[in-house]
Amino acid sequence: MSKPFCVSNTLLIKGFAMLSRKLTSIIWLTAFAVLAPAAWAEQVLKMATTTSTENTGLLPVLNAPFEKKHKARIDVIAVGSGKAMKLGESGDVDIVFAHDPDAEEKFMAAGHGVDRKPVMHNDFVVVGPETDPAGVESAKTADEAFKKIAEAKAGFVSRGDESGTHVKEKTLWRKAGLRPKGEWYLSVGQGMGAVLRMADDKAYYALTDRGTFLAGKDKLTVKLLFEGDPALSNPYHVMAVNPKKHKHVNYELAKKYIDYVTGTEGQKTIADFKVADQPLFYPDAFPNAEKSKK
């Protein structure tokens, strides 16, 4: 009677051991399945930026090496500079890349941003129909160019979106002593690409950053008619959202991005980014950066 009992007992013990090993394996596999994605998950950097950095095609080229190096993904929200800073102010993004210096300085003074650094610049230009009914091409200054458009009521498309470009346009009208209004002046609340297409369709004038115009010029009939006035300078800065105001922001990754975009690798990428062999932006953040002579 004892022998069968011993066999059964041994089998029972072996069965419990096998079950224990299986349960242990299941526990480890479950823990691995839960924890591994967290360990491997890519970091995310939320960036609010102006439409010109996106429309020119610069950002995908500039951001790719950073994403690869840091196993990160940069989520880009391309809006006007004013809206980009609003997103930073509310803590909805980690970093702001803009081109409205006056507004940026107010943003920083209010404590919404930290680590503001110059990145690059290009300039604004006035484009319009090849026939140039207002005679903008003969203007000597930006003031004169804008006065000619207003006097001729020759049709002007404004972004009307509080972007850096729109702020610059309003400044230029103000300096010329003008307040544009009437059927000839269209304020459309659109990005730069859309404004250029609208100006093209209507044979109107528009103020644009040079980079966006060069990136899309092959699909446009409007021509570059006025350039070169120092008043048309267009600098870009990058700044992190203040982690003391918004503790959830990814400040560490934002700081790494600022170091990258103002460092040798990022600045060289900006300098090398061209369309039809023409630079769209000029790097500003390191001593040997290629500079615009405008």
Side-chain angles (χ1 to χ4, degrees):
M1 294 292 293
S2 60
K3 191 171 182 180
F5 173 80
C6 289
V7 172
S8 298
N9 192 43
T10 300
L11 289 173
L12 186 62
I13 291 170
K14 286 183 178 180
F16 274 121
M18 290 177 64
L19 180 60
S20 177
R21 285 196 296 271
K22 285 182 179 179
L23 286 172
T24 301
S25 297
I26 290 170
I27 291 169
W28 276 107
L29 287 170
T30 302
F32 185 76
V34 171
L35 296 175
W40 291 347
E42 61 184 358
Q43 299 184 77
V44 176
L45 182 68
K46 296 178 182 178
M47 175 189 291
T49 186
T50 176
T51 58
S52 57
T53 57
E54 180 81 350
N55 289 346
T56 57
L58 171 66
L59 276 187
V61 175
L62 182 61
N63 290 350
F66 179 86
E67 290 177 317
K68 182 177 180 181
K69 179 178 179 179
H70 294 283
K71 297 181 175 59
R73 183 182 79 247
I74 300 177
D75 287 346
V76 174
I77 304 173
V79 289
S81 289
K83 291 179 182 176
M85 280 179 272
K86 284 291 185 185
L87 289 169
E89 184 178 336
S90 59
D92 292 326
V93 294
D94 307 306
I95 196 165
V96 177
F97 195 168
H99 67 136
D100 186 353
D102 289 344
E104 292 164 25
E105 289 171 8
K106 291 177 183 176
F107 181 84
M108 295 295 292
H112 299 307
V114 294
D115 304 322
R116 178 174 177 255
K117 298 288 177 61
V119 178
M120 61 190 186
H121 70 277
N122 60 13
D123 62 344
F124 293 104
V125 298
V126 179
V127 299
E130 191 169 11
T131 55
D132 190 16
V136 167
E137 197 165 18
S138 65
K140 304 300 182 186
T141 65
D143 287 1
E144 186 181 352
F146 274 67
K147 284 177 181 176
K148 284 177 174 290
I149 294 170
E151 287 168 1
K153 293 183 170 53
F156 186 95
V157 184
S158 168
R159 284 187 58 167
D161 62 352
E162 295 304 320
S163 61
T165 305
H166 183 217
V167 169
K168 173 64 76 171
E169 179 217 319
K170 290 192 295 183
T171 300
L172 292 169
W173 286 119
R174 190 164 55 249
K175 284 183 65 181
L178 299 166
R179 296 184 66 183
K181 59 182 179 179
E183 292 184 0
W184 63 274
Y185 182 79
L186 299 181
S187 181
V188 297
Q190 297 289 323
M192 197 69 256
V195 165
L196 283 171
R197 290 189 295 272
M198 194 174 297
D200 199 63
D201 289 342
K202 292 181 172 293
Y204 276 17
Y205 293 92
L207 181 74
T208 176
D209 67 281
R210 185 184 294 268
T212 304
F213 174 69
L214 289 176
K217 66 178 293 189
D218 290 344
K219 298 178 181 178
L220 299 169
T221 60
V222 288
K223 304 297 181 184
L224 194 161
L225 297 173
F226 182 82
E227 61 181 325
D229 189 322
L232 298 179
S233 176
N234 184 29
Y236 291 74
H237 295 81
V238 66
M239 50 207 152
V241 172
N242 191 345
K244 290 183 179 179
K245 283 205 167 188
H246 303 286
K247 293 183 179 180
H248 63 277
V249 298
N250 195 341
Y251 172 71
E252 292 303 320
L253 192 59
K255 186 67 171 65
K256 288 177 182 176
Y257 184 85
I258 291 171
D259 291 342
Y260 160 73
V261 81
T262 60
T264 301
E265 184 180 2
Q267 292 284 283
K268 185 176 186 305
T269 299
I270 291 166
D272 291 344
F273 186 73
K274 300 178 181 180
V275 171
D277 208 35
Q278 294 188 63
L280 272 61
F281 301 94
Y282 296 87
D284 280 340
F286 74 100
N288 296 322
E290 184 182 356
K291 298 288 183 180
S292 170
K293 295 182 180 179
K294 296 183 179 64

